[in-house]
Amino acid sequence: MKGKIAFHYHVMLLPAIVILGLFSVYPLFGLLIAFEDFKPGRGIWHSPFVGWDNFQYVFMLPDIKQIFCNTISIAVLKIIFTQVFAIVFALLLNEVKNMFFKKAVQTIVYLPHFISWVLLGGIIINILSLDGIVNTTLQALGIQPIFFLGSNNWFPGVMVGTHVWQEFGFSAIVYLAALTGINPSLYEAAAIDGAGRFQRLLHISLPGIAATIILLLTLDLQNVLNAGFEQILNLYNPMVYQSGDIIDTYVYRAGLRELQYELGTAVGLLKSAVSFVLITISYFLASKFANYRIF
Amino acid sequence: MVKSYRSSDRIIDIVIVAVLSLLGLSTLLPLIHIVAVSFSDKASVAGGMVTFYPIHATVVAYKAVISDHAFFRAFGVSIERVLLGGALQFVLTILTAYALSRPTSEFRTRNVYMWLLVFTMIFSGGMIPFYMTIRNLHMLDTMWALVLPSAVPVFNVVVLMNFFKSLPKELDEAALIDGAGPWYRMIALYVPLSLPSIATVTLFSLVGHWNAFFDGMLLMNSPDKYPLQTYLNQIIVQASQPQSHLTPDQIKQLAKLSDRTVNSAKILVSLVPILLVYPFLQRYFVTGITLGSVKE
């Protein structure tokens, strides 16, 4: 009887298994390219095997250190600033009593999360170009125009800033949910004891979401090597490769545009391996400290 | 509450509302600026006169978009992709999530499947092996290359699976006693009870397909098969990417040549589908995402 029912579940899972096998598991064999002197004409199975040579070559590349540094610094800054903005936004929104205003602000700040980086890129290029609205405003104030997307000093900051702008509202959803879970009698008791608005926020609201903050930061650990491929691909240009090139954009450029398959695959494999370790650590910490499980 | 707190409370309220309004405006103003640019004439845009309302209002840019066949062909490819890819993800997410939500007492190999799913979510071959797989399967330049690889969105499956698991067991047992089989219980019991969660993952799935641009760039060789976002990436981003040997002044000249009013109009027309589904599904995803992501 039980075996019969389980048969139906195997059938339900069959299409998913076929698709994941074909498009997620089968490509893993392609990782062999990283250990080969890959010849497209001879294919994966017949190209000469060279062991760790490609990896040694990767570590000798002059830009590779810069690329790893860019990736980690942009990603870490994004994580920190997005969470800070999301927490402050959630705490402030929680203080608002007018439901209409609350809903209106929420609806508006979630919106950019659903817009693609192609469209956002188009909008940002338009606004930040030398004759865009930001620079014409600066000029009106007597400030020299800034070439935001063409300057290595400004580019990483623009990436972090535009990412925060896109995501802070959406990231706040989980904090808002945690805030509604706080027992209202705590606020009443504190008010009777003479605690002001700010003290209540500091001593009740903030500790009330502390567990959520820790949980989300733990889960963000897995994104330390994801600095935003689509965003950077849509906003960067040769002038800012030095400050804007991250692992994923480098794999795309060197591997696929310049046809250095084995180099791109080796860098990609390094990234996947480190990410795998980071994700494992992050889920371990999340389940240990916050009792979080994905399933 | 003590009366003396009232006046300071009022000031704090005003400050909070002001700060939140600014944050809200900061997300809206760039969009309003693009609307203003798209309805202005080219000279005013190039002269930097347009801010948040159109100067010398005109619909010339929209007329140019309407007569642009390449734009609408790409729009059509994207619509086809969203409908086909969205339907595939919808069916497969429900099937996979339902089977995986069953307890191991009823479905002993469940955890084997679960680990396989999670493994594919956290370890991937990366861009180059993926590209070569699609090429080996002779799927380059086909619609299947855009919809099949993402047909099982593991994150959505996990969200919906957790929702299914949270439904009361008694319902399931009652249906079982009445003689309902697994398929009937899934379609007549679990799916109707999970509409907020299903609406959320469907929104993610449709928006994901509409917004995807990179797979089009990677897997489509002929530009007439580009989905909309890939096409826009080519005309807006690639065309505006200055070459490194140009001086800022030369770049400024180039920027004037590219048609900013028409590009802005194209950006806005491409936003319309998102703006149409967003208000209807917005109220669901807040419940959906919090139920799926925070447990206990």
Side-chain angles (χ1 to χ4, degrees), chain A residues 1-2 5 9, chain B residues 98 102-103 105-106 164-165 167-182 184-186 189-190 193:
Chain A
M1 167 68 189
K2 265 181 190 165
I5 289 188
Y9 300 144
Chain B
Y98 177 70
R102 306 311 299 164
S105 59
E106 199 183 354
F164 282 155
K165 275 182 165 182
L167 294 173
K169 282 192 184 60
E170 290 75 13
L171 278 172
D172 193 67
E173 281 159 13
L176 188 65
I177 290 164
D178 289 346
Y184 186 82
R185 272 181 281 159
M186 173 178 77
L189 193 63
Y190 280 81
L193 286 174

Side-chain angles (χ1 to χ4, degrees), chain A residues 158-187:
Chain A
V158 173
M159 291 307 99
V160 174
T162 51
H163 175 86
V164 171
W165 172 78
Q166 187 201 21
E167 290 296 336
F168 81 89
F170 199 75
S171 305
I173 290 180
V174 183
Y175 293 119
L176 286 167
L179 282 167
T180 50
I182 296 174
N183 189 345
S185 59
L186 287 175
Y187 289 103

Side-chain angles (χ1 to χ4, degrees), chain B residues 3 25 71 90 98-99 134 148 195 218 221 267:
Chain B
K3 212 185 170 189
L25 276 180
F71 178 81
F90 180 81
Y98 177 70
I134 302 292
L148 276 184
L195 286 181
L218 189 67
N221 292 326
I267 289 175

Side-chain angles (χ1 to χ4, degrees), chain B residues 86-187:
Chain B
L88 265 173
Q89 287 197 351
F90 180 81
V91 172
L92 289 180
T93 306
I94 292 175
L95 276 180
T96 315
Y98 177 70
L100 291 174
S101 72
R102 306 311 299 164
T104 37
S105 59
E106 199 183 354
F107 182 32
R108 262 182 298 151
T109 36
R110 173 201 176 259
N111 287 341
V112 178
Y113 286 113
M114 199 63 226
W115 280 114
L116 177 79
L117 240 76
V118 171
F119 176 75
T120 62
M121 186 165 68
I122 60 183
F123 195 84
S124 79
M127 205 181 291
I128 292 164
F130 176 70
Y131 170 78
M132 295 177 79
T133 303
I134 302 292
R135 202 179 57 183
N136 290 346
L137 293 170
H138 302 286
M139 280 173 32
L140 290 180
D141 247 356
T142 65
M143 176 55 76
W144 298 114
L146 301 180
V147 295
L148 276 184
S150 62
V152 186
V154 179
F155 177 80
N156 292 2
V157 168
V158 171
V159 170
L160 189 59
M161 180 195 76
N162 284 331
F163 195 92
F164 282 155
K165 275 182 165 182
S166 71
L167 294 173
K169 282 192 184 60
E170 290 75 13
L171 278 172
D172 193 67
E173 281 159 13
L176 188 65
I177 290 164
D178 289 346
W183 294 86
Y184 186 82
R185 272 181 281 159
M186 173 178 77
I187 294 166

